[in-house]
Amino acid sequence: MFSPPGVDAKSYFSLHFLTPGDGEAVTETATTDEGWPRGWKDRMSWALELELSMRGAGFTWSSADVRHTRSTWRPSIKDRTRSILVHVLPILLVSWAVIRDIYSLYLAHQEPFDDLPIGLQLLLTAALGAFLMSAFSLGHSTFAIMLAPLAPHPLSYFPPLYTARVWELKSVRDFWSYGWHRLFSRLFLVYGVWPGEWLERRLTGKSNEEDADIGKVLGGFVSSAFVHSFAAHTVMGGWHGAFGEAWFFAGNGVAVVVEEGVRMAVVRSRRRKKTGNEKNDMGLERWYDGVVGRVWWVSVLLYTGRNFARGWVRAGLVREMAGL
């Protein structure tokens, strides 16, 4: 057997010829993007794989666009079916019922979103978020089931859509890094993260070896804000009311920067109080850190998410989701 030129043989064979057991991890070891397809047939096959697979652009060789590690696996049909029946559909139906009730009782009579009581605004925002997350998961699991018989073809291998449980998240950064999908991460990396890092280094004089975390975070969220606002502009037929998504993502970007600054300040304070040694990080966590972190990220998502919900109401998407 042979692998394409420039492609790590172990990685290629593990993805193309081996059939792991259900849920068994397969580790990619290729580290470059060399070995791209040559010829019309190869290009057509590659393009189809990129369109249908959730694993991201260039996944067949090395790019890990939608996951944080090089590990991937072929989820079993039984596992995905159970996920749909036990987790996804109940959340989808409950959130849809909440959306439908709020719309039929209030918004169907042309009452503006901002005139709703704050409790209903937050409830509708939470329901829309839960509906969106479960809808993504339903599509992801359905495609995993449909493509499972193609194994050992790469199309049958899927990473998890969300890489952490909601209750495991302790910050806004955790949510966007592990609690949300990474389907557009390559776009935001190239058009947001890298320019943001470059700009921070230009303004602060940092070297290329130094972290530019503020520029990285804000750049990624600004690019996401533009993409979502442009999509809202397309749906609404104009820019009026299309900036809700922009404010949502911009607000979350600022929240990530703020929480990181607070975290670093708290860690420094605890180090000094504990031993006076700035390098000793043992025993710095407190029992209430997780509680504070969870309350913080949920509050930020719900409060800023009202901008997102407002835009969906104006665009008529909530009415369509409610089926009214």
Side-chain angles (χ1 to χ4, degrees):
M1 293 189 293
F2 66 95
S3 62
V7 179
D8 182 88
K10 181 179 178 181
S11 172
Y12 184 83
F13 293 140
S14 70
L15 288 173
H16 288 261
F17 298 105
L18 302 182
T19 307
D22 291 344
E24 181 181 343
V26 176
T27 302
E28 291 184 84
T29 58
T31 56
T32 73
D33 286 320
E34 296 180 5
W36 46 78
R38 293 175 172 80
W40 182 84
K41 183 178 179 180
D42 284 345
R43 291 179 184 276
M44 291 293 291
S45 175
W46 187 60
L48 181 62
E49 290 174 0
L50 295 185
E51 288 296 323
L52 296 181
S53 176
M54 307 294 281
R55 296 181 56 198
F59 75 89
T60 306
W61 288 272
S62 65
S63 299
D65 280 4
V66 297
R67 60 189 188 278
H68 287 275
T69 72
R70 292 185 179 278
S71 297
T72 185
W73 54 88
R74 178 169 57 87
S76 68
I77 294 179
K78 179 180 178 181
D79 175 69
R80 291 300 88 198
T81 302
R82 182 180 183 278
S83 175
I84 291 175
L85 296 178
V86 177
H87 301 290
V88 176
L89 286 182
I91 296 175
L92 195 68
L93 292 175
V94 170
S95 58
W96 175 79
V98 172
I99 294 169
R100 182 181 175 87
D101 284 349
I102 293 178
Y103 185 86
S104 61
L105 293 175
Y106 301 96
L107 300 174
H109 306 296
Q110 306 302 317
E111 182 175 349
F113 174 83
D114 291 315
D115 288 349
L116 294 177
I118 186 64
L120 283 179
Q121 292 183 27
L122 297 177
L123 180 59
L124 178 59
T125 300
L128 289 172
F131 185 93
L132 196 59
M133 290 188 71
S134 55
F136 271 124
S137 185
L138 177 62
H140 177 270
S141 294
T142 301
F143 266 89
I145 292 172
M146 292 171 57
L147 299 179
L150 297 180
H153 194 277
L155 280 173
S156 67
Y157 292 87
F158 280 69
L161 186 64
Y162 310 117
T163 52
R165 305 291 186 184
V166 172
W167 53 85
E168 296 173 345
L169 308 174
K170 300 179 182 179
S171 66
V172 178
R173 189 167 198 157
D174 280 355
F175 176 82
W176 291 113
S177 296
Y178 306 105
W180 194 244
H181 69 77
R182 294 170 54 81
L183 302 181
F184 308 110
S185 62
R186 174 57 63 93
L187 174 67
F188 299 151
L189 174 69
V190 175
Y191 291 97
V193 172
W194 288 347
E197 290 178 328
W198 176 85
L199 182 60
E200 180 180 346
R201 292 189 175 105
R202 291 280 293 182
L203 294 176
T204 62
K206 290 183 177 180
S207 66
N208 291 336
E209 289 72 29
E210 295 180 277
D211 290 335
D213 198 52
I214 295 178
K216 171 185 177 180
V217 170
L218 294 182
F221 277 101
V222 167
S223 63
S224 180
F226 173 79
V227 169
H228 286 84
S229 293
F230 189 80
H233 162 269
T234 303
V235 172
M236 296 181 181
W239 287 108
H240 176 68
F243 290 102
E245 287 84 347
W247 288 115
F248 169 71
F249 286 104
N252 277 262
V254 172
V256 171
V257 174
V258 170
E259 74 180 13
E260 185 64 17
V262 171
R263 186 193 68 81
M264 293 174 63
V266 170
V267 169
R268 285 196 297 267
S269 175
R270 290 177 180 176
R271 283 173 180 167
R272 289 193 296 268
K273 292 179 180 179
K274 182 176 184 297
T275 62
N277 184 353
E278 288 285 333
K279 296 183 179 180
N280 190 345
D281 289 341
M282 297 295 294
L284 294 181
E285 292 188 5
R286 301 292 186 268
W287 65 268
Y288 52 81
D289 288 350
V291 176
V292 173
R294 290 179 176 91
V295 171
W296 159 252
W297 81 257
V298 171
S299 299
V300 169
L301 264 293
L302 287 180
Y303 187 78
T304 59
R306 292 163 57 245
N307 293 294
F308 217 106
R310 184 183 298 109
W312 279 37
V313 170
R314 290 177 177 175
L317 296 177
V318 175
R319 174 180 54 80
E320 294 180 2
M321 293 171 66
L324 298 173

